[in-house]
Structure formats: structure tokens, C-alpha cells
Amino acid sequence: MPATCHCGLPAAYADCCGRFHRGEAAAATAEQLMRSRFAAFSVRDSAYLMRTWHPASRPPGIDLERKTRWVRLEILETTGGSVVHTEGTVRFRAHYVHRGKPGEMEEHSRFVRHEGRWVYSGAL
């Protein structure tokens, strides 16, 4: 495991996103959920990705490409999504290496509270 979490925050994975992945805590904000989902892609935790996906938009399964390594996350913008909100958005850029070649993808994602927890609702 890296010295800092895959999500980019200056904490060890086990103390940062690892606690969400293990089910010991839930993300308090939409940005925190976005970061934990990026970290889940990095460690190939498909179960966490499915648990944090809104049931109305969740696919039946997720296949994480073994030849893709997620390496860095940039949060570009957030709206709402705090502890007092019920929805929010996060615009981000995710950097990856696929078959040895660097790449990036950008998305503006929507998050909502479902049964009291933040979940990913889809791209805007």
C-alpha cells in the first residue's frame, strides 16, 4: 500500500478510504464518497463500488480492467454534497495507466443520499 491513500489525501489507505471499504465508516460528504470510490477502483474493490451506487442506476455487475491502473485523482469542483445536503456534484479528473500508456478521464458526477448514506447516482 502507498504511504498516502489512493484518493490523494495525506493519510494512510487503511485510515482513510480503507475504513469505508471495510464498512467501518460511511462517507460524510459527496466528495469523500467520490474519493473513496476512486480508491476502490485503484484497489479493485468492486463490492464497495456496487454498494455505493444508487440502485436505480447501478449496473448488474462491474468488471474492473486488470490492465488499467488508476494513479491520481484531481477534484476540480464540488457543489452541495456536505453533511447538511441531500445531493451534490463532484467534477473530477482521474488519471490512469492502461497497458503502459497514461490517460485521463473527466466526469461531472451526481451524488444523492439514499437510506441515509451518500451514493453515486451517475454522470451529468
Side-chain angles (χ1 to χ4, degrees), residues 82-97:
S82 77
V83 295
V84 298
H85 291 104
T86 57
E87 54 185 65
T89 67
V90 179
R91 192 167 62 87
F92 67 92
R93 185 176 299 125
H95 298 263
Y96 60 88
V97 176

Side-chain angles (χ1 to χ4, degrees), residues 27-28 82-87 111-119:
S82 77
V83 295
V84 298
H85 291 104
T86 57
E87 54 185 65
F111 297 86
V112 297
R113 286 196 189 266
H114 176 72
E115 297 177 352
R117 293 181 180 244
W118 284 108
V119 293

Side-chain angles (χ1 to χ4, degrees), residues 17-90:
C17 293
R19 63 197 170 108
F20 302 131
H21 297 171
R22 292 187 306 270
E24 297 170 2
T29 67
E31 180 180 338
Q32 198 172 44
L33 181 65
M34 174 61 240
R35 288 182 178 279
S36 70
R37 285 177 57 83
F38 176 83
F41 274 100
S42 296
V43 299
R44 293 183 173 86
D45 187 345
S46 58
Y48 180 77
L49 292 167
M50 295 298 283
R51 276 195 318 272
T52 58
W53 207 316
H54 194 285
S57 59
R58 181 174 49 220
I62 186 168
D63 183 25
L64 299 175
E65 172 65 53
R66 286 255 176 231
K67 297 192 185 317
T68 301
R69 186 170 47 92
W70 296 95
V71 295
R72 185 167 61 93
L73 176 66
E74 292 177 80
I75 301 297
L76 305 173
E77 174 187 20
T78 63
T79 61
S82 77
V83 295
V84 298
H85 291 104
T86 57
E87 54 185 65
T89 67
V90 179

